[in-house]
Amino acid sequence: MAENSSCCTPEGSCNSSGGTAVQVGAVTTTYKVTGMTCGHCEGAVSSEIGEIAGVSSVQAVAATGLVTVTSQAPLDETAVRAAVDEAGYELVGRA
């Protein structure tokens, strides 16, 4: 019988070469942000949050107001709030 050719490790991490990579030990947090209405808004919020130390990816969706952040460790919500404020929007809190 062939070895397991799954892209997932026994711990549940995905090792696929296509699509979105999942980082082992990464923390993903979703925040609710108000005021985003377009792609420019998404970019502004993503750019500011992306400058926080330890952040590896940010996905902002204006239509839902949700911002998903992947980081090496849990983020200080005060830092996230300051980044969102700097971009000109308001962090409601965790979604």
Side-chain angles (χ1 to χ4, degrees):
M1 182 172 250
E3 286 185 39
N4 183 354
S5 62
S6 171
C7 68
C8 297
T9 66
E11 294 80 30
S13 298
C14 184
N15 293 322
S16 66
S17 58
T20 303
V22 175
Q23 299 174 332
V24 175
V27 176
T28 301
T29 308
T30 302
Y31 299 94
K32 180 73 174 173
V33 174
T34 59
M36 294 188 301
T37 59
C38 65
H40 173 76
C41 301
E42 294 169 346
V45 169
S46 294
S47 177
E48 289 295 335
I49 293 175
E51 292 181 15
I52 298 171
V55 171
S56 55
S57 72
V58 182
Q59 180 183 14
V61 180
T64 61
L66 298 179
V67 179
T68 303
V69 181
T70 303
S71 56
Q72 297 169 356
L75 297 176
D76 176 19
E77 192 166 315
T78 303
V80 177
R81 184 174 304 280
V84 172
D85 286 347
E86 182 67 27
Y89 305 93
E90 182 181 352
L91 176 68
V92 176
R94 292 185 184 201

